[in-house]
Amino acid sequence: MTTADYDQASLPDLLPLYYRRLFPFSQYHRWLNYGGVTKNYFQNREFSFTLKDDIYVRYQSFSTQNELEKEMQKMNPYKIDIGAVYSHRPNQHNTVKSGSFQALEKELVFDIDMTDYDDVRSCCSGADICPKCWTLMTIAIRILDRALRDDFGFRHCLWVYSGRRGVHCWVCDEAARKLSVAARSAVAEYLSLVKGGDETVRKVVLSDPIHPFITESLTVVENYFSQYALLGQDILGSKEAVDKVLALLPEDVRKKLLQYFQTEKNPEKRWDTIRSMAQDKRMTAKKGHYFEMEIMLQYCYPRLDVNVSKGVNHLLKSPFSVHPKTGRISVPIDLRELDRFDPFEVPTISLICEELDQPKTEEEQDDNMENENKKEAGERRKMRDYKRTSLAKYVKLFDNFLEEMAHSRKGEVLKNSGECNLNP
Amino acid sequence: MQFYSRRKKLIGNSQTEQLYGHCLQFYGQPPIENISLSEFETFAVDRLKLLKTVENLGVSYVKTSELYTKKLDAEFSNLNFPYKIEADDWKPQTGPSEYEKRRKDHISHFILRLAYCQTEDLRRWFIQQEIDLFRYRFNDLPSKNIGQFLQYNNLHYHTISIDEKKKLMDKLVTSSFAVSGSTVDGKDFYKVPFQDALDLVRTRKVYLNGGYVYIPHQDIVTIVLNDFRTRLSKALALTARSLPAVQSDERLQPLLNHLSHAYVGQDYSIQKSIGKISLEQIDPLSAKSYPLCMRQLHRGLRDSHHLRHGGRMQYGLFLKGIGLTLDQALQFWRSEFVKGKVDADKFDKAYAYSIRHMFGKEGKRTDYTPYSCMKVILSNPPSQGDQHGCPFRHSDPELLKQKLQSYKVSPSGISQILELVKGMHYQLACQKYFELTHSIEDSGFSLNHPNQYFMESQKLLGGPGAGVKVEVKREDNPEVAAEITEDLDSFFQDA
């Protein structure tokens, strides 16, 4: 059982425990310090906390990991957001001459929210998610991660479960952190294919030439389309669903299909027909007709909120923060096991607090003896504590991510000093 | 920026050739010589005229079209700026030499930086015009000179090898509409960091891989422009910081202030022929010489004896601009409002104040300027019950058509106007309206202000509102100001 019956009312009791014994402060600080390469990078970072009774405080900043820990243990925030690295310490921004206090750097971030897909998912709506529509997140992660790596050359992308109905991506490369507002906006636009709100029926419009980025994205969608859309969402099953699909097609195609669908009820066969009709049209007509691709993209392609990605000073929910409504921890997602990721298996704060109370296993007692000499008692206990819970594997993931970044930094230093890095 | 205080030795010919070895430059290095005040002033005013032309032409024509280029060519040559690279005539028969033109280009740019670095608006305007100017000149460069220019300016945009081109052939062709197999074979492709080509990335018009975009030679201008914009933006910020030192020089301060006010062009704020229009003339004038927006507002006022705030501002300031005095304005508005639901007392209490405010007689006494077309089109869109705004922008096309029909515009004229509206060329549509209602082929001006419309119309019809001379506000130093304003006055008249 992974939820251990989470109840929002118990947060005031659980949070102190979480921040005292489970939150991975050491890794967290290691992340945001980025190897200490830039002076005051951690000190000038803005955090914002949402406290009990919806009290919201901005411009929090800390000089050391210790100070961060003490403050968080004192305030027990319900939610934690991370903002930008500023020109001065955020908690002193009122003392700075107006106009001089500027947001300088921040990770490039993306926020994919399931509610943005309400017009194309039939299983759930609003804040609800289920295993069927979760595939949309899987597709989004695959497409965006590939693009960020291959097209943009970013190497350090941390994907995090938001805790309820979506995922976030934190692109931590130095080049990404230094991007201007215009650049962030350009990246987000490059990655956007689904455009339009409630009043737009046809949200994806493709024309010649089809950019390699679109081709690559389609390849990913095709891997999931049959299982997810035709079977899971049954988009060519019921009359209502079929009508929605047909609304995206040119008039003449729609008429032919309506007739054809009277006899053919099998969704796979129906889809095959739509596909071949598109291909035929491309052979004969002068203009490109890509309606089968447009349908696939409209139903499956990631929908991101450009505004979240654009602003250098935009605040986004922190990894390892708790989601107050669901109790789930915002954990990193393992891309190697992406298809197996289950948001309903993500540990809640109540679960991991309960796990803390379990008696120690023999294995852990051995570990204790080994680590006895290494670190101070407090840290030792903390290390043991989260390791005893379901949070362990997620902290390990985070560790791996940080290790890769450290490795990259070392590589850069060697490169810049003229030596060659023998270990790729 | 200390070029006016450093001593400079004579420069020999070879050095000058090095300094201005290319007709186009990034303005990286400030000039370091002494110049006279009058040359300072002439250079600055000439460049400002050039930039104003660039702005006006940019509104009326597509920036890369032949007509645009031809008109800008003419202006360049009139003002003695360098524009054709073949003109390697260091010793021409008549007029300034190429070297002198390039020197003027260089120095005038830096002078205008001083005038235009102070506020966000000024910077934005200056950067926009300089970019358009640069684009025009860059496009004019023959391709071998482009490579030379890139090298000269340390732009390390590397071309990719033939092998790499072969490998990427498919990707390159499918990324860009303008690129075919033969383009890839025949032309150079540059590998540029994506941060330097944001416009191409944003619209997915280019192949992107590993953080680099692959750009065909013909598109390198976008990249260079971005670079230019970034450099200029940074430079202006730096200039703003050293400005206090410059402004303390009393010889320069008045001129720099006048120059920066000039960017809005004629703002019709002070009229020498105030009171030339009588109230009885307003009705016929509204039919003959008002632009459509003001005609609509006047009609609305006459019909309902009332206008909402947005309408009162737009129309009220326009009336000020055509020469109504404060007393006339008060009389005009009061007489109309009183016919409606407002009695004279209420008018004096509620509305008179705001009219006096418009004329700078209340509150912080700012003399508000009549709205330009840009302001009318872009800000404060009208809602239900409002009459203000630009009819070409804000009216439903059907309603616009009906209105034009009622004003007896020919059906072919109406469709021309509607075409322009569809293409979002609202000022051109209004210009066409001008041409149709005055029965002429070419209006002969680029419309950017309702009061300009009025003035041009009156000029054509020989009416009382024409020939209005604009006076520039004088600064504290009367002698210098007098010298300077003479030149600036004549400049404004051409606008």
Side-chain angles (χ1 to χ4, degrees):
Chain A
M1 183 174 64
T2 33
T3 27
D5 293 337
Y6 167 74
D7 176 10
Q8 193 164 347
S10 46
L11 268 183
D13 297 316
L14 297 172
L15 286 172
L17 201 54
Y18 181 63
Y19 291 127
R20 235 162 271 275
R21 293 173 65 185
L22 295 165
F23 189 92
F25 285 106
S26 157
Q27 288 85 347
Y28 199 65
H29 177 265
R30 187 182 179 200
W31 172 34
L32 296 173
N33 197 35
Y34 284 98
V37 171
T38 310
K39 217 170 90 141
N40 289 327
Y41 210 67
F42 181 77
Q43 290 77 356
N44 289 348
R45 170 81 68 166
E46 181 193 357
F47 296 86
S48 77
F49 294 152
T50 306
L51 310 175
K52 200 156 105 112
D53 298 325
D54 270 332
I55 298 177
Y56 183 65
V57 289
R58 264 195 81 173
Y59 299 112
Q60 305 298 296
S61 60
F62 312 97
S63 314
T64 59
Q65 174 185 329
N66 211 27
E67 202 182 295
L68 172 72
E69 276 190 53
K70 294 272 176 308
E71 279 305 301
M72 277 174 63
Q73 281 155 5
K74 197 165 77 177
M75 296 204 250
N76 289 308
Y78 275 38
K79 266 172 41 167
I80 305 168
D81 288 335
I82 300 179
V85 176
Y86 282 81
S87 51
H88 306 76
R89 287 178 193 226
N91 64 4
Q92 294 173 355
H93 74 284
N94 286 322
T95 66
V96 179
K97 189 170 67 161
S98 126
S100 303
F101 182 68
Q102 308 261 359
L104 299 178
E105 295 189 15
K106 190 176 71 70
E107 295 74 11
L108 172 63
V109 294
F110 296 95
D111 181 350
I112 320 284
D113 190 327
M114 198 70 91
T115 47
D116 291 337
Y117 294 80
D118 279 354
D119 58 315
V120 290
R121 52 176 184 150
S122 53
C123 49
C124 314
S125 71
D128 295 326
I129 57 167
C130 74
K132 278 206 240 172
C133 50
W134 185 258
T135 312
L136 287 169
M137 293 294 120
T138 309
I139 296 175
I141 295 176
R142 285 219 189 279
I143 290 180
L144 295 176
D145 196 70
R146 185 215 66 81
L148 290 168
R149 261 170 228 291
D150 294 350
D151 295 6
F152 287 98
F154 294 129
R155 286 158 57 204
H156 305 290
C157 306
L158 180 71
W159 287 93
V160 180
Y161 172 53
S162 75
R164 187 156 66 152
R165 59 187 195 219
V167 295
H168 299 158
C169 179
W170 295 78
V171 186
C172 300
D173 296 58
E174 190 183 342
R177 284 180 274 131
K178 292 180 145 67
L179 289 176
S180 64
V181 171
R184 285 163 207 260
S185 158
V187 173
E189 292 284 340
Y190 176 89
L191 298 170
S192 297
L193 281 178
V194 181
K195 308 217 167 114
D198 292 334
E199 69 295 336
T200 315
V201 175
R202 195 171 149 220
K203 297 189 164 79
V204 181
V205 180
L206 299 179
S207 55
D208 283 315
I210 302 291
H211 192 275
F213 167 74
I214 299 179
T215 314
E216 291 284 344
S217 306
L218 271 166
T219 309
V220 175
V221 171
E222 269 165 26
N223 284 339
Y224 292 89
F225 190 72
S226 181
Q227 181 71 17
Y228 164 72
L230 298 178
L231 199 56
Q233 296 291 320
D234 200 26
I235 66 172
L236 288 177
S238 73
K239 177 170 183 335
E240 206 191 322
V242 168
D243 280 342
K244 276 203 186 142
V245 175
L246 292 181
L248 305 175
L249 299 171
E251 180 86 38
D252 54 333
V253 177
R254 198 184 320 150
K255 284 205 181 112
K256 281 199 206 133
L257 285 172
L258 271 169
Q259 208 170 23
Y260 172 69
F261 285 179
Q262 297 199 5
T263 43
E264 182 55 74
K265 301 291 178 194
N266 177 300
E268 298 268 359
K269 294 236 172 68
R270 285 176 163 185
W271 178 246
D272 282 338
T273 308
I274 295 182
R275 261 210 135 113
S276 48
M277 283 178 83
Q279 279 158 358
D280 285 340
K281 258 204 174 232
R282 283 201 284 279
M283 297 282 190
T284 54
K286 243 200 293 195
K287 229 174 27 147
H289 285 268
Y290 298 105
F291 48 82
E292 92 281 27
M293 300 183 191
E294 289 171 358
I295 292 174
M296 285 200 281
L297 294 172
Q298 182 149 339
Y299 277 83
C300 302
Y301 185 84
R303 299 166 178 217
L304 39 93
D305 185 351
V306 178
N307 290 314
V308 168
S309 310
K310 249 187 2 195
V312 178
N313 53 5
H314 189 100
L315 292 149
L316 186 64
K317 186 152 178 291
S318 168
F320 294 104
S321 149
V322 184
H323 196 297
K325 296 226 167 63
T326 61
R328 299 215 191 262
I329 311 289
S330 282
V331 293
I333 299 176
D334 189 350
L335 258 59
R336 298 166 303 188
E337 310 276 313
L338 183 57
D339 286 311
R340 286 211 282 273
F341 180 82
D342 181 357
F344 299 100
E345 288 294 307
V346 170
T348 58
I349 187 174
S350 28
L351 175 73
I352 55 181
C353 286
E354 206 186 86
E355 287 171 336
L356 265 181
D357 293 332
Q358 311 285 345
K360 284 193 216 148
T361 66
E362 227 177 81
E363 204 180 282
E364 282 158 355
Q365 289 188 13
D366 289 337
D367 272 345
N368 289 356
M369 309 235 259
E370 268 188 55
N371 293 329
E372 205 75 16
N373 323 326
K374 282 194 196 158
K375 291 169 172 94
E376 319 168 8
E379 245 192 272
R380 250 185 287 141
R381 199 182 55 226
K382 246 181 268 148
M383 269 172 57
R384 273 177 257 145
D385 280 350
Y386 75 72
K387 282 194 182 174
R388 284 202 274 134
T389 69
S390 309
L391 199 60
K393 74 171 185 184
Y394 299 103
V395 180
K396 180 101 188 55
L397 254 177
F398 193 45
D399 268 328
N400 293 344
F401 177 76
L402 297 172
E403 201 45 55
E404 271 179 36
M405 280 212 291
H407 192 75
S408 269
R409 277 196 293 271
K410 224 177 355 168
E412 272 304 305
V413 171
L414 287 178
K415 200 162 63 160
N416 290 341
S417 70
E419 296 172 36
C420 64
N421 190 0
L422 293 174
N423 298 325
Chain B
M1 305 292 134
Q2 293 171 359
F3 59 87
Y4 41 83
S5 60
R6 259 159 73 168
R7 301 278 157 247
K8 185 74 184 73
K9 50 198 182 320
L10 283 167
I11 27 180
N13 234 1
S14 57
Q15 248 176 310
T16 63
E17 266 160 37
Q18 233 178 41
L19 189 57
Y20 297 126
H22 205 283
C23 72
L24 183 59
Q25 61 161 302
F26 257 177
Y27 309 105
Q29 293 303 314
I32 43 169
E33 34 169 305
N34 288 336
I35 66 171
S36 66
L37 258 189
S38 79
E39 212 176 21
F40 186 93
E41 187 188 311
T42 317
F43 281 6
V45 170
D46 277 356
R47 193 182 192 86
L48 194 52
K49 282 190 194 170
L50 184 64
L51 293 186
K52 285 298 295 173
T53 308
V54 167
E55 181 187 35
N56 287 334
L57 289 180
V59 168
S60 316
Y61 304 98
V62 173
K63 285 178 194 170
T64 44
S65 69
E66 240 187 81
L67 209 48
Y68 176 88
T69 317
K70 237 179 26 185
K71 293 208 172 210
L72 202 41
D73 278 351
E75 191 69 12
F76 258 83
S77 126
N78 283 344
L79 293 170
N80 293 318
F81 280 100
Y83 71 108
K84 289 279 180 237
I85 190 156
E86 303 95 52
D88 252 330
D89 50 0
W90 297 95
K91 287 190 184 62
Q93 296 83 346
T94 55
S97 67
E98 182 62 18
Y99 163 72
E100 281 164 7
K101 292 183 192 170
R102 292 181 189 185
R103 176 175 166 268
K104 175 171 172 174
D105 176 42
H106 185 209
I107 296 178
S108 61
H109 171 90
F110 276 89
I111 298 176
L112 288 191
R113 275 198 198 181
L114 295 175
Y116 283 84
C117 62
Q118 296 178 67
T119 70
E120 195 55 52
D121 273 347
L122 289 175
R123 286 198 273 229
R124 204 179 301 139
W125 182 86
F126 182 65
I127 291 175
Q128 184 58 53
Q129 310 323 318
E130 286 283 343
I131 285 182
D132 285 344
L133 183 61
F134 189 90
R135 181 193 296 115
Y136 155 79
R137 293 164 79 182
F138 190 86
N139 277 333
D140 209 41
L141 287 178
S143 57
K144 69 170 166 70
N145 293 101
I146 292 184
Q148 214 178 59
F149 175 81
L150 291 177
Q151 208 184 12
Y152 209 75
N153 287 283
N154 292 322
L155 289 171
H156 300 296
Y157 298 139
H158 301 290
T159 51
I160 59 177
S161 67
I162 297 187
D163 283 336
E164 214 176 338
K165 270 202 279 183
K166 273 211 185 86
K167 233 180 19 179
L168 298 174
M169 170 75 83
D170 275 337
K171 301 271 165 60
L172 292 174
V173 168
T174 50
S175 337
S176 174
F177 199 74
V179 173
S180 64
S182 55
T183 321
V184 178
D185 279 333
K187 306 264 181 180
D188 278 333
F189 270 74
Y190 294 83
K191 189 170 155 180
V192 174
F194 85 89
Q195 291 92 330
D196 289 349
L198 292 179
D199 283 333
L200 293 174
V201 169
R202 177 196 310 275
T203 50
R204 238 180 279 117
K205 285 201 158 64
V206 71
Y207 178 55
L208 172 65
N209 187 268
Y212 288 91
V213 292
Y214 292 81
I215 306 201
H217 187 88
Q218 64 255 32
D219 289 339
I220 205 73
V221 62
T222 320
I223 311 307
V224 175
L225 277 180
N226 274 346
D227 204 298
F228 183 66
R229 181 198 293 269
T230 317
R231 291 180 194 216
L232 188 52
S233 195
K234 284 202 188 121
L236 284 178
L238 278 174
T239 312
R241 275 190 241 155
S242 33
L243 202 57
V246 174
Q247 284 190 318
S248 62
D249 188 325
E250 320 173 318
R251 301 169 294 170
L252 300 177
Q253 194 207 27
L255 175 64
L256 293 178
N257 280 340
H258 285 303
L259 285 174
S260 58
H261 285 135
Y263 99 96
V264 287
Q266 204 164 2
D267 59 8
Y268 304 91
S269 55
I270 305 178
Q271 305 294 313
K272 252 193 183 158
S273 64
I274 291 183
K276 284 248 172 86
I277 311 248
S278 73
L279 292 183
E280 300 83 52
Q281 293 172 303
I282 289 190
D283 275 328
L285 278 175
S286 77
K288 279 190 297 182
S289 294
Y290 274 20
L292 199 61
C293 55
M294 301 303 173
R295 190 171 182 179
Q296 179 172 293
L297 279 164
H298 181 75
R299 190 73 268 137
L301 178 62
R302 287 284 191 228
D303 286 344
S304 33
H305 309 298
H306 188 269
L307 273 186
R308 287 201 185 161
H309 181 258
R312 292 200 302 274
M313 287 304 286
Q314 189 176 321
Y315 190 28
L317 288 170
F318 171 78
L319 288 173
K320 185 173 86 148
I322 68 175
L324 247 55
T325 63
L326 173 58
D327 284 330
Q328 283 179 304
L330 284 168
Q331 200 185 341
F332 173 73
W333 290 99
R334 185 194 285 116
S335 71
E336 206 45 61
F337 272 54
V338 153
K339 287 186 207 150
K341 297 192 214 146
V342 176
D343 64 48
D345 268 344
K346 178 160 183 217
F347 178 85
D348 286 332
K349 270 196 219 137
Y351 296 99
Y353 177 90
S354 92
I355 297 170
R356 285 202 301 279
H357 203 274
M358 271 187 236
F359 278 76
K361 299 285 186 274
E362 295 283 1
K364 60 181 175 167
R365 311 207 177 229
T366 315
D367 211 0
Y368 288 96
T369 55
Y371 296 169
S372 64
C373 288
M374 277 284 116
K375 178 146 185 178
V376 172
I377 291 172
L378 293 177
S379 44
N380 193 18
S383 8
Q384 203 61 10
D386 282 327
Q387 302 275 23
H388 66 265
C390 171
F392 300 103
R393 161 79 178 88
H394 297 119
S395 283
D396 182 66
E398 262 312 302
L399 290 176
L400 178 62
K401 184 165 152 184
Q402 281 171 35
K403 185 162 286 163
L404 292 171
Q405 279 168 344
S406 73
Y407 292 153
K408 312 249 190 308
V409 178
S410 70
S412 66
I414 294 182
S415 27
Q416 280 178 57
I417 290 181
L418 291 177
E419 265 310 299
L420 287 168
V421 166
K422 208 157 73 158
M424 304 213 286
H425 304 298
Y426 309 117
Q427 284 152 281
L428 292 178
C430 194
Q431 234 169 278
K432 177 98 321 203
Y433 170 75
F434 182 97
E435 286 159 10
L436 292 164
T437 50
H438 291 74
S439 304
I440 54 171
E441 280 287 314
D442 185 359
S443 58
F445 63 92
S446 281
L447 180 67
N448 52 38
H449 202 294
N451 286 91
Q452 177 195 20
Y453 184 111
F454 181 82
M455 222 180 72
E456 292 290 340
S457 169
Q458 287 287 288
K459 261 204 305 216
L460 242 142
L461 303 170
V468 174
K469 195 162 191 292
V470 173
E471 200 178 284
V472 177
K473 294 194 196 118
R474 296 186 184 281
E475 295 295 336
D476 293 326
N477 190 341
E479 293 138 39
V480 184
E483 265 177 57
I484 292 169
T485 45
E486 242 173 77
D487 273 336
L488 288 176
D489 274 354
S490 56
F491 156 63
F492 284 149
Q493 278 204 315
D494 293 337

